[in-house]
Amino acid sequence: MCNDMGEILQDLLPKKCNKIENPALIAKIKYSKSIIKQALDKWGPDKVALSFNGGKDCVVLLDMIHKIWEKRYSDENRDKIKYPSKPTLRALYFQNGDFFPEVTQFMDECAKLYKLNATIVTKKVKDGLSEQIEQHQIQAIFMGTRSTDPGASSLKSFSPTDPGWPQFIRINPILEWEYHEIWEYIRKLDIPYCPLYDRGFTSIGLQSDTLPNPHLKNPSSQHGYDPAYFLKDGSWERDGRRIQPSFSRARF
């Protein structure tokens, strides 16, 4: 039995080398990575952060950032005068409600797995953002937002925050991804994800406003619901929400 926590965590990293063959998804991955690289070129590793909530979209974004980050800031490639030691990606966890314990545990696992500089923000979103931006001089934040999310239809790959919000640039590399493409990436590349998705949850918010998706109900399934990736229509993604997420809570 292995007692080395580092080895245990390493075992959780994707092991499969399956190749994504969907041309449309390949093109989107390429574009998303180009946005990530542009952001790092412009702001560098010290002035960016990732808004991470443990959801499937953020997991895909984190995986792509991690792969680019590991290569760009490796001992062989980074500017060792500017960065004597390897920088770590700052991740902001906004937890100011009745979060699922499974989500909190998964986010903690991701922090170790991807070597994140994680900060749990328990203040209200605006206050927490203001504090983090001022404290760490953050200029841009990676967001796992898709254009079908509430209030996101007019966003661009690089969008400033709205009036009344702390000012920074929202980096949105996966805006044009579809629901089924998120799951194709996760499953094809064997990316770790929150176990609630295996119990029929398709859009995870707070315990008080989130239920398994009714379109996935299946009495013969282990949890009474099929996994999230069985959902036939991506437009049903939020049909498990008791209360549709408000713009202010869901996005900056």
Side-chain angles (χ1 to χ4, degrees):
M1 180 176 179
C2 176
N3 293 317
D4 188 328
M5 181 57 71
E7 290 183 22
I8 294 173
L9 292 171
Q10 201 66 29
D11 286 342
L12 295 175
L13 283 168
K15 301 177 184 64
K16 295 181 181 178
C17 296
N18 293 344
K19 185 178 180 181
I20 292 176
E21 299 177 346
N22 178 348
L25 181 53
I26 290 172
K28 289 184 180 182
I29 293 170
K30 184 176 181 179
Y31 179 76
S32 297
K33 287 184 175 180
S34 74
I35 296 300
I36 295 168
K37 291 174 182 178
Q38 286 179 52
L40 294 176
D41 286 342
K42 183 176 179 63
W43 291 289
D46 298 330
K47 305 298 182 184
V48 300
L50 168 68
S51 177
F52 188 66
N53 62 7
K56 61 190 183 303
D57 303 327
C58 284
V59 163
V60 167
L61 176 57
L62 172 58
D63 183 74
M64 287 190 287
I65 295 173
H66 177 74
K67 288 171 180 173
I68 293 170
W69 196 281
E70 287 295 293
K71 182 176 181 180
R72 179 173 288 224
Y73 302 117
S74 66
D75 288 342
E76 295 79 15
N77 295 329
R78 74 171 182 272
D79 181 343
K80 292 184 180 178
I81 296 177
K82 192 173 184 180
Y83 304 110
S85 60
K86 184 178 178 180
T88 55
L89 175 61
R90 185 176 303 281
L92 306 178
Y93 301 172
F94 292 90
Q95 295 188 5
N96 52 7
D98 57 331
F99 271 62
F100 285 92
E102 293 90 343
V103 173
T104 301
Q105 180 178 348
F106 176 68
M107 291 196 293
D108 290 343
E109 291 170 355
C110 284
K112 297 173 184 176
L113 189 63
Y114 293 101
K115 303 178 179 67
L116 302 176
N117 181 1
T119 300
I120 297 175
V121 182
T122 57
K123 293 184 177 181
K124 292 182 178 180
V125 176
K126 285 186 181 181
D127 295 336
L129 277 171
S130 295
E131 182 178 84
Q132 291 300 312
I133 289 170
E134 180 178 353
Q135 183 176 350
H136 302 293
Q137 290 80 53
I138 296 169
Q139 297 180 6
I141 297 180
F142 289 105
M143 308 284 293
T145 306
R146 291 187 288 122
S147 60
T148 54
D149 291 341
S153 60
S154 63
L155 291 178
K156 306 298 182 184
S157 296
F158 297 94
S159 291
T161 47
D162 296 326
W165 284 85
Q167 292 301 293
F168 61 89
I169 299 298
R170 292 170 287 182
I171 312 166
N172 304 303
I174 62 169
L175 267 181
E176 302 309 319
W177 286 49
E178 302 292 339
Y179 178 88
H180 69 276
E181 291 170 330
I182 292 291
W183 280 111
E184 183 176 353
Y185 184 97
I186 290 173
R187 300 192 71 221
K188 200 76 173 179
L189 300 183
D190 199 27
I191 308 301
Y193 59 87
C194 179
L196 287 177
Y197 289 114
D198 286 334
R199 304 176 196 170
F201 292 85
T202 54
S203 175
I204 302 173
L206 303 177
Q207 294 186 71
S208 56
D209 65 21
T210 311
L211 295 170
N213 195 305
H215 298 288
L216 292 173
K217 191 168 185 178
N218 180 1
S220 63
S221 182
Q222 179 181 359
H223 301 289
Y225 291 84
D226 287 328
Y229 46 82
F230 277 35
L231 193 68
K232 294 179 180 180
D233 189 334
S235 68
W236 300 340
E237 179 180 357
R238 288 176 180 78
D239 285 2
R241 293 291 193 103
R242 290 192 182 100
I243 304 170
Q244 293 299 312
S246 65
F247 175 77
S248 61
R249 202 189 81 187
R251 309 294 161 206
F252 309 141

